[in-house]
Amino acid sequence: MPSLRHTHFHGDRASTQAVVHRRHHVGSRTLLTLAIETSCDDTCVAVLSKDPGPGGRATLHFNSKVTCDSTAYGGVYPPVALRSHDAHLAPLVAEALAALPPIEQRPRVHDDDTPGVIAGGSAASDSHGGGVMTVSGVPRQMPTFVTVTRGPGMSANLGSGLATAKGLAAAWQVPLLAVNHMQAHALTPRLVSALNWSLPAPSPSSPPPLHHHPPAAAAASAPIPLTPEYPFLTLLVSGGHTQLVHSCSLTDHRILATTVDVAVGDALDKAARHILPPDMLASHGDVMYGALLERFAFPGSSPASTPSPPQEYDYEYTPPFRRIDEIATYTSPYSWTLTPPLAASRALSYSFVGLGSQIHKIVASKNGGGSDDTMPLDERRCLARAAMRLLFEHLASRVLIALAAEPELRDAVRTLVVSGGVASNRFLMHVLRKTLDVRGAAHIGLTAPPPALCTDNAAMIAWTGMEMYEAGWESDLSVHVQRKWSIDPASDEGGILGLGGWVRRKSSE
């Protein structure tokens, strides 16, 4: 089955055979986890290590994924995605085993010139304090625990990853950490902070760069303060979720607003199918059309994947200075209009279906109700810009309403984290920054992970496992997948810790 492969960082691709030799514990050691993410159509595996203690630095040894090719279906098709997981998960795990730190290297010692890269050494074979396995004849450190996504997501797809993770944990006799996918998105900037990647302290004046560009490393012994510090706001924006969350602590995330219909990423993809020229859609390599819509709307802007700092792009955008500006009907130079979502309501919720219906009607009317490509290119580009503007201002509006409703929240929160696949959209970050600045929230910094960590990935799952493990938690091997699993303690599931299967880790290590 054809798939789109995206490998970000990996070790030896040679076929691997692993033999476990021994395992023992010491009081303070570098933590190492192998993580699996299969909640949707991406098969993801990562290997992450972290130095001991709250300020310990992290190293990403392996981070790779295979995305199921669903172009024939026009969207994610669960049975095909499941077959892709079955075909690719085991090979990715085999690749990850070859990237485990060799025993002769000390994972806790970092090269002074390159953050997140292991320095060579001749440490004793047990200096890392964990077990040892032989992979293709090379002694390597055994993971301290295995991390996997338990939910939310597609049940069968989650089950593929969970079953594999359980098998590895049982075979290696190490703990299992079955974590929440949405919690992982919220914690991703803290992973970037621990990796010492270029995600600077959020600036109120401009959004941080959305690329991975490692700076010079600090001394290996220097602790790294994790940022953002709690409390912070999290705007989770993806193809399956749209939520505004008050992140109070590792396991306490209060949902302030959520979508009542579809997610913003889904709305962008559907808008793109209507707006983009048919030949552009046909030539695109996958079904995630939101990024393509951004490139079409703003030709010449730097793509999110650009490895170097993006050039400042003139979006010709004026933010809404007042609520009345925000809810005003958009009138185009082509005679059609667009009404912003929930213009008549200040409810803390999101809705995107109505705007999508308006876009569909506009395009259909221009094409005479048929599928002929008669809408001029400039008009399509105008519609693309207007659609994204109204979608993103709708996201910003609920941040402002939430801050106005709780003055103590406005005073306590200093950072808005934007996470999920849509966080890689540069125009979204531009709209959020400009809107916060002119609406009395310039003191709130804006930050987002690098593009590779915005979409689903196993690195964020690994980091969530790290934080939960260090907080004293692990999962029982009997846990099952959870298709719906809210991170809010007030939800039916009781939040992250409300779901059964969590076990307080014994302190024998």
Side-chain angles (χ1 to χ4, degrees):
M1 179 178 57
S3 298
L4 301 176
R5 191 181 190 91
H6 307 280
T7 302
H8 305 304
F9 188 93
H10 54 81
D12 185 7
R13 288 178 176 271
S15 61
T16 58
Q17 291 183 333
V19 179
V20 176
H21 292 291
R22 67 183 185 277
R23 184 172 187 269
H24 65 273
H25 302 288
V26 296
S28 178
R29 71 173 193 265
T30 295
L31 299 176
L32 179 70
T33 187
L34 183 146
I36 295 171
E37 149 62 21
T38 59
S39 63
C40 190
D41 63 335
D42 291 319
T43 308
C44 313
V45 178
V47 174
L48 181 78
S49 66
K50 180 184 176 296
D51 293 342
R57 295 172 61 192
T59 300
L60 188 58
H61 303 266
F62 180 91
N63 185 33
S64 186
K65 72 177 176 181
V66 175
T67 301
C68 174
D69 184 357
S70 299
T71 52
Y73 305 93
V76 177
Y77 186 47
V80 173
L82 178 58
R83 288 198 293 271
S84 181
H85 292 317
D86 291 342
H88 297 110
L89 182 53
L92 280 183
V93 170
E95 289 186 37
L97 294 180
L100 293 171
I103 289 302
E104 65 269 19
Q105 295 178 347
R106 292 180 182 267
R108 72 184 64 178
V109 179
H110 292 75
D111 188 284
D112 286 340
D113 296 323
T114 308
V117 177
I118 298 300
S122 57
S125 63
D126 62 352
S127 64
H128 63 281
V132 180
M133 64 170 62
T134 299
V135 182
S136 298
V138 179
R140 296 185 182 274
Q141 181 180 344
M142 186 193 303
T144 315
F145 56 92
V146 178
T147 311
V148 66
T149 306
R150 182 181 179 184
M154 300 176 181
S155 296
N157 296 4
L158 288 166
S160 177
L162 182 59
T164 301
K166 284 183 178 182
L168 293 173
W172 295 338
Q173 290 293 285
V174 298
L176 174 74
L177 272 292
V179 302
N180 186 291
H181 182 86
M182 303 310 293
Q183 178 194 21
H185 273 303
L187 298 181
T188 302
R190 290 169 63 85
L191 162 64
V192 176
S193 174
L195 289 169
N196 203 20
W197 285 5
S198 65
L199 195 63
S203 165
S205 60
S206 62
L210 298 179
H211 59 283
H212 171 201
H213 192 64
S221 59
I224 297 177
L226 287 180
T227 57
E229 296 180 350
Y230 299 106
F232 55 87
L233 289 180
T234 302
L235 186 59
L236 297 172
V237 283
S238 68
H241 305 275
T242 302
Q243 294 179 343
L244 177 63
V245 179
H246 180 199
S247 296
C248 305
S249 69
L250 174 62
T251 58
D252 185 2
H253 303 266
R254 182 165 59 98
I255 297 176
L256 304 178
T258 190
T259 180
V260 297
D261 39 57
V262 300
V264 65
D266 187 39
L268 282 169
D269 289 340
K270 289 176 178 175
R273 292 190 189 102
H274 294 309
I275 297 171
L276 294 176
D279 59 339
M280 183 177 291
L281 287 172
S283 62
H284 193 50
D286 59 52
V287 297
M288 303 306 174
Y289 300 116
L292 186 62
L293 184 68
E294 181 187 11
R295 294 197 297 272
F296 173 75
F298 303 105
S301 61
S302 300
S305 57
T306 301
S308 57
Q311 298 295 320
E312 185 66 26
Y313 185 84
D314 183 9
Y315 289 103
E316 300 179 354
Y317 172 72
T318 301
F321 285 82
R322 301 167 298 169
R323 170 69 176 167
I324 193 171
D325 302 322
E326 176 186 296
I327 62 176
T329 298
Y330 172 81
T331 302
S332 77
Y334 300 97
S335 75
W336 46 262
T337 61
L338 288 174
T339 302
L342 298 183
S345 172
R346 293 181 64 88
L348 273 173
S349 57
Y350 293 109
S351 176
F352 304 101
V353 166
L355 185 60
S357 297
Q358 295 178 65
I359 293 169
H360 174 66
K361 290 178 181 178
I362 291 170
V363 176
S365 67
K366 293 291 180 175
N367 292 336
S371 58
D372 294 336
D373 183 16
T374 57
M375 191 174 190
L377 200 63
D378 287 345
E379 187 173 1
R380 289 180 184 272
R381 184 164 286 118
C382 176
L383 182 56
R385 293 185 176 190
M388 284 195 292
R389 172 192 156 185
L390 295 187
L391 287 172
F392 297 160
E393 286 181 353
H394 183 44
L395 292 173
S397 71
R398 270 45 197 173
V399 176
L400 296 170
I401 291 173
L403 293 174
E406 299 185 40
E408 65 278 8
L409 190 64
R410 176 187 289 269
D411 295 337
V413 168
R414 288 293 178 268
T415 304
L416 172 61
V417 169
V418 188
S419 195
V422 184
S424 62
N425 189 302
R426 297 195 193 280
F427 184 52
L428 166 62
M429 301 299 289
H430 184 80
V431 169
L432 289 173
R433 181 70 274 159
K434 294 295 184 182
T435 303
L436 291 175
D437 286 348
V438 301
R439 299 286 289 277
H443 67 287
I444 295 181
L446 188 64
T447 189
L453 298 182
C454 286
T455 55
D456 289 352
N457 64 89
M460 69 178 190
I461 302 301
W463 177 255
T464 304
M466 283 287 180
E467 292 220 46
M468 293 296 288
Y469 184 86
E470 289 196 306
W473 295 103
E474 62 182 67
S475 300
D476 190 90
L477 286 176
S478 66
V479 296
H480 52 78
V481 301
Q482 194 72 17
R483 185 176 68 86
K484 293 184 177 181
W485 184 10
S486 173
I487 58 177
D488 194 323
S491 66
D492 292 340
E493 298 85 8
I496 293 167
L497 295 179
L499 208 59
W502 289 110
V503 179
R504 267 294 181 184
R505 183 167 53 85
K506 296 180 181 179
S507 58
S508 60
E509 300 178 80

